[in-house]
Amino acid sequence: MLDRITEIVRRAGALVRSADADRGVREKTGPRDLVTRYDTMVQDFLRRELLALLPGAAFMAEEGFEESDYNAAEWRFIVDPIDGTTNFIQGYRNSAVSVGLMHRGEMEYAVVYNPFDGETYTARRGGGAFLNGRPIRTADRDLEHSILIFGTALYYRELTERTLTVFNRVFPLVQDVRRFGSAALDLCYVAAGKAGVFFECRLCPWDYAAGSLIAREAGCLVTKLEGGPLDLDRKGSLLAGSPLAYRQFVEALQKEKGANA
């Protein structure tokens, strides 16, 4: 199953890579929330190919889905056709096709593919995580020797202050910081040991479903920012990291909370 999903995702990535200058950009909720004709094109392709692979499965994706069908299904695809749409529009080559397959509430298979650099991250529950077919493990480093990746939850301006509070608390403790603009890839970078921790105050399930499984299978701890398991049916926060860096991050937030009590 994982090999078949990977092949479909790579074909979808070829559509992303073939985009011409006219990307059909339009606003959804505002100038920070954008969609292109390629988002829709890739999603339609994935819906057709994945549901042919697994008839009867439900399909949740960023550009629309049938919620009633999704909630009733035993198998569920969770898809972001282009994670990092703004990067894609601006020509910043850090976007991904992200596909996760969930069975009875558990993520079973995951593929995250950056068609611009050819990196394909995959995982199967209990089977480990891989980059282009080679096993990967998260880094065993403390915060002082780790890069922090974060997202700014731009669609939710009410969370800006919270994001900056968390960032300001942890920034003095880390080696450096990055903001790449694709949560799916951010999780994979932590999984591969390229960074120590990633957090964002609110994401949608399609942003992190596949990446969260890849990160866990690579040895990361992955939870909500406030602790507790991820919810793959609704928006929520996310914190992922190598075990040592994750624990130090949580300790820093707990100290901040105690100082403000």
Side-chain angles (χ1 to χ4, degrees), residues 55-252:
F59 187 91
M60 172 195 277
E62 181 171 10
E63 308 311 328
F65 65 98
E66 292 295 331
E67 189 169 351
S68 58
D69 294 343
Y70 178 82
N71 291 335
E74 182 176 327
W75 289 91
R76 304 173 181 180
F77 286 105
I78 307 178
V79 172
D80 197 333
I82 304 179
D83 186 52
T85 296
T86 300
N87 288 348
F88 172 65
I89 292 167
Q90 298 291 349
Y92 181 69
R93 297 161 66 88
N94 197 78
S95 303
V97 181
S98 176
V99 173
L101 178 57
M102 184 166 62
H103 183 237
R104 295 179 177 174
E106 291 278 357
M107 290 301 305
E108 291 287 342
Y109 302 99
V111 180
V112 174
Y113 174 49
N114 183 340
F116 300 108
D117 66 13
E119 290 193 337
T120 307
Y121 296 87
T122 60
R124 177 176 56 83
R125 186 163 69 96
F130 300 83
L131 168 55
N132 291 344
R134 296 184 177 182
I136 54 174
R137 293 293 292 178
T138 189
D140 185 21
R141 295 191 290 266
D142 58 15
L143 279 182
E144 188 177 10
H145 298 92
S146 296
I147 286 175
L148 165 69
I149 305 176
F150 72 108
T152 48
L154 277 175
Y155 308 151
Y156 315 105
R157 302 311 293 267
E158 69 275 13
L159 295 174
T160 298
E161 183 176 353
R162 174 59 177 160
T163 299
L164 295 178
T165 296
V166 173
F167 174 82
N168 289 333
R169 184 67 189 89
V170 180
F171 175 60
L173 307 178
V174 301
Q175 187 177 55
D176 207 343
V177 297
R178 301 287 187 271
R179 190 206 183 288
F180 293 122
S182 166
L185 288 173
D186 292 339
L187 283 159
C188 292
Y189 295 155
V190 177
K194 299 178 182 181
V197 183
F198 165 63
F199 85 89
E200 189 153 357
C201 287
R202 187 174 295 164
L203 291 164
C204 293
W206 45 80
D207 297 315
Y208 58 76
S212 65
L213 178 61
I214 292 166
R216 286 199 305 272
E217 288 296 324
C220 296
L221 300 177
V222 186
T223 65
K224 295 179 182 177
L225 184 57
E226 58 273 17
L230 299 180
D231 190 334
L232 292 171
D233 290 325
R234 57 182 59 84
K235 299 173 185 177
S237 63
L238 186 143
L239 172 62
S242 63
L244 178 56
Y246 175 98
R247 288 193 292 268
Q248 291 178 328
F249 188 105
V250 171
E251 288 170 4

